[in-house]
Amino acid sequence: MSITAAMVKELREKTGAGMMDCKGALKETDGDMEAAVDWLRTKGLAKAAKKAGRVAAEGLVGVASNGASAAVVELNSETDFVARNEGFQALIAGVSKAALEVNGDVEALAAASFPGSDKTVEGEIKEAIATIGENMSLRRTAAVSVSKGAVASYVHGAIADNMGKIGVLVGLESDGDAEALAAFGRKIAMHIAATNPLALNVDELDADVVERERQIFAEQARESGKPENIIEKMVEGRLRKFYEEVTLVKQAFVVDPDKTVEEAVEAFAKELGSPVKLVAFVRYALGEGIEKEESDFAAEVAAAVGS
């Protein structure tokens, strides 16, 4: 019987077991879902299931690099306290290193070998869940690489080397000195951590985002009672301002606000004596987009006393 991704997903949701273990269980049981659940329980691979329903929105963002390429990962836990656990920090350091080999594919990362271990990344995470006692989730990974030049990284709110609350990667292509490129790239990465641009340039902006802003600006302009030809010019002017605020190359460079990032790159290229192209960036902020459960501490205490 063919094992589909939907079947693997369903089994993961039922048991909290790892993706590769679920796939193996379904193969062993010819796709019988209930038999696969029992198989996982028999093997002790569903031991983390009771923790799988708890929201994991804390944790750490980690980065790793080897000069011309770098990777960033987000590994979530339930509480901020776990992020200060040396075992958890060693875990994300290993996961970040493994991410260098998978080019931004989170499923491939889960199945990859954990450095210095006979387990996969997913296996190491499962073991950490059992040891530390909190649900954990390998949420995402991304990578940036250049054929020549440097990929710089920066971690904001670092609590240990290369791990913290925000991780940024910046790719610069150039034939110039790699160390100088990395140092300048780090300044851009710090800028990105502070300003959180939506895209590298206007061409890379989501078309739906641009259209939504255009409609908002048009409605605002119409309220002024101006004729349509004037409204069109007003909208274009506001869109230009919007681009300056949300695209990296058009933003005022935080290190030198008199220049845009684009102009700062051009000035640096002249100093370096070699053309420099800003090709890509990635910014991960811990927990962004995860809906956290709101806890009512007083209600929890009252419930505990009542029981």
Side-chain angles (χ1 to χ4, degrees):
M1 176 177 183
S2 177
I3 306 303
T4 67
M7 292 168 67
V8 174
K9 180 175 182 291
E10 182 181 347
L11 186 57
R12 288 191 73 185
E13 290 172 351
K14 283 178 176 287
T15 64
M19 177 177 62
M20 301 305 290
D21 290 328
C22 288
K23 189 173 182 180
L26 288 163
K27 284 184 177 179
E28 287 290 330
T29 59
D30 294 323
D32 186 318
M33 189 64 62
E34 294 306 316
V37 171
D38 292 341
W39 188 90
L40 286 168
R41 286 176 176 163
T42 300
K43 298 292 184 180
L45 295 173
K47 61 187 177 182
K50 64 181 181 181
K51 301 182 179 70
R54 303 207 298 255
V55 175
E58 298 292 344
L60 287 170
V61 171
V63 301
S65 64
N66 60 12
S69 64
V72 57
V73 301
E74 181 178 353
L75 182 61
N76 297 126
S77 61
E78 292 178 56
T79 66
D80 180 60
F81 179 76
V82 168
R84 303 185 182 281
N85 180 294
E86 289 185 1
F88 185 79
Q89 292 176 9
L91 178 65
I92 196 163
V95 174
S96 301
K97 187 175 180 181
L100 286 170
E101 307 299 324
V102 301
N103 196 32
D105 186 330
V106 72
E107 291 190 359
L109 178 55
S113 297
F114 188 88
S117 169
D118 59 356
K119 297 184 181 67
T120 63
V121 165
E122 188 172 59
E124 286 289 340
I125 292 172
K126 273 196 312 186
E127 187 166 293
I129 291 172
T131 302
I132 297 174
E134 278 199 12
N135 186 29
M136 297 176 194
S137 172
L138 177 59
R139 186 183 182 203
R140 53 182 176 161
T141 183
V144 173
S145 61
V146 293
S147 57
K148 55 182 180 179
V151 179
S153 64
Y154 170 69
V155 173
H156 184 72
I159 65 170
D161 288 346
N162 298 317
M163 60 188 76
K165 300 296 185 182
I166 297 175
V168 180
L169 308 179
V170 176
L172 294 170
E173 283 189 351
S174 176
D175 289 317
D177 180 73
E179 285 190 15
L181 284 164
F184 179 70
R186 180 177 168 81
K187 292 179 182 178
I188 296 178
M190 293 172 72
H191 167 99
I192 292 167
T195 63
N196 192 18
L198 294 182
L200 179 67
N201 52 43
V202 175
D203 290 339
E204 293 188 12
L205 271 174
D206 187 322
D208 290 339
V209 171
V210 174
E211 183 57 29
R212 185 164 61 249
E213 293 300 316
R214 184 186 296 277
Q215 293 299 327
I216 291 170
F217 294 151
E219 288 301 318
Q220 291 172 341
R222 286 191 182 96
E223 290 179 2
S224 68
K226 299 281 196 308
E228 281 298 319
N229 63 324
I230 300 299
I231 288 173
E232 187 176 336
K233 291 179 181 178
M234 291 172 67
V235 169
E236 291 306 315
R238 290 180 183 180
L239 275 175
R240 283 195 296 272
K241 181 65 175 177
F242 173 69
Y243 296 150
E244 290 171 4
E245 293 172 352
V246 303
T247 61
L248 175 59
V249 295
K250 297 299 182 185
Q251 288 179 332
F253 192 28
V254 293
V255 178
D256 183 0
D258 290 334
K259 294 187 179 75
T260 63
V261 170
E262 189 173 47
E263 290 167 344
V265 171
E266 292 172 358
F268 170 70
K270 289 180 181 178
E271 292 177 14
L272 191 66
S274 178
V276 176
K277 184 179 181 182
L278 180 55
V279 293
F281 78 89
V282 175
R283 181 187 187 274
Y284 274 9
L286 179 67
E288 60 189 349
I290 298 177
E291 291 187 12
K292 299 185 183 182
E293 291 178 338
E294 298 295 331
S295 77
D296 185 336
F297 185 65
E300 288 178 9
V301 172
V305 172
S307 63

